[in-house]
Amino acid sequence: MGQWQSIDLSAKLFLNVEEAVLRKSAAALENCFINEAGGHSRFPGLKAFVTLPGSAPTYLHGWKAPIGDLIAVSNSRVYRIDRAGTVSDVTGVPVSGDRRVIFDETDNELVMAAGGEIIRLAGETTEILSPDAPLSTHVGYIDGYLVAVEVSSGRFQHSSANDFRTWDPLDTFSADGKPDEINGMLVSPYRELLLTGVDSVEQFERLPSGTTPFFRRWSVGEGVLAPYTLVAVDQGNFAINSTYEFVRFTGQVSEAVGDDLQATFEKVDDWTGAWTAAVQIKGQKFVLLQMPEAASAYGTKGITCLYDYRQKKWYNLYGFDGGVPVKWPGCSYEEIWGRRFVGGNGVIYELDTDVYSNVGQTQRMLGRTAPMDHWGPAFVDNVRMRVKRGVGSSSSEDDKPPKIAFRAIRDGKRRTKWKYRSLGRPGDTYNMIQFGGMGHAMSTFQFEWQITDPVSAEIVKLEAEVRKS
């Protein structure tokens, strides 16, 4: 008779080496995350909110959140959307440029930049902020000034104090710690103005008095490769730096926090459009990082990662099309009205913690352990899993309750057939599932499971009955 061995579900995802040499970490965690109890929770799915004309990427901003309106820019047009999903096209002047749209707010207006003229929304429709303002990729508000990065230069300009439509060409600064172009800008929650280039990051701060409103406090030689990955979270800033590392930096000190996926980042073949957003789901806080043009491990386009910066653990998000993992369908993220919205291509989705498909398409939750070799030559006579059950439909016509699929990979190549077990209809809440024997292995066992039915999934515990051969 074998001995029951516990498999650690809290083991972090580690993709920085080949899967064959893993021993303790998880080999795959897709569309799920490790909860604070050490089990696996399914990542929520998407439901339709509104459809916009065209199929261009949609960028979102919650104006005067939490009670204002959701603003969307798609195909250069600007839309104002209320919480009921009523869409108003407020485009007087379209947003020009071929970059990601950056938003910020003054006391009474919303400003937008995407590589062309800065656009403002203060009344019924959009208009050009000022003919004297520079063409800009980034615009931000700080202490009574609007600041804008000049396109393809190492300079930035600011408006007159509390007069955002007046721009004097003499109010121009250079970020010249190193002679590189400014590719990004961030106004942090602590009123710091960060200017980034591929080779450097510089911090400017407001002077309390005098004719010069900003001074450079510090600069470092570590640059930002993908400027739209720059995000302020957890009393610090995150970005992909010039050596393809995902780093957290505060002041002049940076720390690599993406080591577990570093090999993935180094293999990214196209950083175009890479972006980040702060996301909070079921009480846990994440940074979502997407490289929409990068080739994934499945040979499809789009890599989306989720970083739990409290637990320092990573996960992957995927869509699913025709049985193949594809890019997670979002291209922007915003929270307003206590709800979560995701911009897609010509659409806006709502990320709903009670939905587990992506607008009717399969969202596959997948987990896979490392190859475990500490048992030696052995038989696995049984595997049992404690899960949340009773999640299916209560309809008497539903004769196909949701299922979880489970299999073993023995010695790195021999896969068992998938074994399916019911996740139960309401009332069927006995929480232990047994999958039976998984055969014999000379060196390693891996276990893999997936759920494709659109139901809530919580995996609490996993054990194998191991008998030495």
Side-chain angles (χ1 to χ4, degrees):
M1 186 174 181
Q3 297 291 320
W4 285 102
Q5 304 287 337
S6 180
I7 292 122
D8 185 12
L9 291 176
S10 68
K12 66 180 181 179
L13 177 67
F14 193 79
L15 302 180
N16 204 38
V17 298
E18 294 292 333
E19 185 172 318
V21 303
L22 287 177
R23 299 189 70 184
K24 295 181 179 180
S25 302
L29 291 172
E30 297 178 7
N31 295 324
C32 63
F33 56 89
I34 298 170
N35 58 46
E36 293 171 317
H40 293 183
S41 296
R42 194 171 192 176
F43 191 78
L46 303 171
K47 65 181 183 182
F49 183 56
V50 298
T51 300
L52 302 174
S55 58
T58 301
Y59 305 112
L60 302 178
H61 179 77
W63 189 18
K64 298 180 179 178
I67 59 173
D69 290 322
L70 183 64
I71 303 297
V73 177
S74 184
N75 198 32
S76 298
R77 302 197 68 81
V78 183
Y79 302 92
R80 192 168 184 167
I81 303 146
D82 65 19
R83 66 183 64 205
T86 302
V87 179
S88 300
D89 188 334
V90 294
T91 309
V93 176
V95 177
S96 61
D98 58 356
R99 311 290 179 87
R100 187 177 185 85
V101 181
I102 297 297
F103 303 84
D104 209 348
E105 301 176 25
T106 68
D107 293 338
N108 60 4
E109 66 187 346
L110 177 69
V111 290
M112 296 159 271
E117 294 174 305
I118 300 172
I119 302 300
R120 74 189 288 261
L121 176 60
E124 295 297 320
T125 59
T126 58
E127 57 187 333
I128 295 172
L129 173 68
S130 169
D132 299 319
L135 302 180
S136 182
T137 57
H138 292 73
V139 62
Y141 174 78
I142 178 170
D143 295 344
Y145 292 87
L146 275 180
V147 180
V149 172
E150 292 185 7
V151 172
S152 302
S153 81
R155 299 181 300 273
F156 66 97
Q157 295 187 32
H158 65 80
S159 69
S160 297
N162 298 306
D163 182 3
F164 312 125
R165 308 197 77 177
T166 299
W167 294 71
D168 189 328
L170 296 178
D171 293 332
T172 301
F173 288 74
S174 293
D176 54 6
K178 283 202 172 183
D180 57 342
E181 293 182 0
I182 300 174
N183 63 8
M185 183 181 78
L186 174 69
V187 178
S188 81
Y190 303 100
R191 317 314 299 159
E192 302 162 332
L193 180 63
L194 297 177
L195 284 303
T196 69
V198 172
D199 297 319
S200 63
V201 177
E202 301 185 26
Q203 178 186 310
F204 285 75
E205 291 192 1
R206 275 275 286 120
L207 283 168
S209 61
T211 57
T212 303
F214 300 101
F215 76 101
R216 187 174 65 203
R217 184 176 180 185
W218 53 256
S219 63
V220 295
E222 180 179 41
V224 171
L225 173 71
Y228 299 104
T229 65
L230 181 62
V231 63
V233 179
D234 188 35
Q235 303 179 26
N237 309 288
F238 292 86
I240 293 287
N241 71 9
S242 50
T243 56
Y244 308 100
E245 297 175 302
F246 191 65
V247 297
R248 179 185 183 274
F249 63 93
T250 303
Q252 293 176 283
V253 179
S254 71
E255 172 193 11
V257 297
D259 289 349
D260 297 346
L261 270 65
Q262 184 58 38
T264 297
F265 298 146
E266 291 176 359
K267 290 178 181 177
V268 169
D269 54 342
D270 190 345
W271 285 98
T272 303
W275 61 281
T276 58
V279 178
Q280 182 168 327
I281 299 292
K282 295 183 177 180
Q284 292 185 233
K285 297 183 178 181
F286 307 93
V287 173
L288 188 152
L289 166 64
Q290 185 181 80
M291 294 75 77
E293 301 299 322
S296 75
Y298 293 101
T300 55
K301 183 182 290 188
I303 298 173
T304 307
C305 306
L306 200 64
Y307 176 57
D308 182 335
Y309 54 84
R310 288 177 170 176
Q311 297 192 76
K312 301 185 185 305
K313 294 179 179 178
W314 287 88
Y315 316 98
N316 287 122
L317 301 181
Y318 283 102
F320 209 62
D321 185 14
V324 178
V326 296
K327 183 179 80 70
W328 186 71
C331 58
S332 65
Y333 177 88
E334 185 66 9
E335 297 180 3
I336 188 173
W337 315 313
R339 296 156 67 184
R340 305 168 185 86
F341 296 94
V342 174
N345 290 330
V347 294
I348 302 174
Y349 308 113
E350 184 170 358
L351 187 68
D352 191 325
T353 54
D354 293 323
V355 171
Y356 294 96
S357 64
N358 290 330
V359 199
Q361 289 192 335
T362 297
Q363 182 226 55
R364 182 183 69 166
M365 174 181 175
L366 175 74
R368 186 167 64 251
T369 68
M372 296 174 289
D373 60 2
H374 51 283
W375 296 334
F379 292 90
V380 170
D381 292 330
N382 197 2
V383 175
R384 63 189 182 191
M385 178 185 283
R386 182 183 161 201
V387 300
K388 174 185 175 181
R389 295 185 73 248
V391 294
S393 170
S394 59
S395 171
S396 60
E397 298 178 358
D398 182 9
D399 59 352
K400 294 182 179 180
K403 292 180 173 61
I404 181 171
F406 192 95
R407 69 179 177 181
I409 305 170
R410 299 165 297 179
D411 298 323
K413 61 178 182 179
R414 296 182 296 132
R415 288 170 166 80
T416 65
K417 292 182 178 180
W418 286 108
K419 295 186 177 184
Y420 295 87
R421 298 292 184 268
S422 170
L423 291 171
R425 295 189 179 91
D428 183 6
T429 57
Y430 179 71
N431 60 16
M432 192 65 73
I433 293 175
Q434 300 199 45
F435 294 98
M438 296 291 157
H440 179 267
M442 291 300 297
S443 60
T444 63
F445 277 97
Q446 278 182 276
F447 298 123
E448 186 175 46
W449 55 92
Q450 66 176 15
I451 300 171
T452 56
D453 291 307
V455 294
S456 172
E458 303 285 345
I459 300 176
V460 181
K461 187 175 182 180
L462 181 62
E463 294 177 306
E465 186 179 17
V466 180
R467 174 169 50 91
K468 294 296 182 78
S469 62

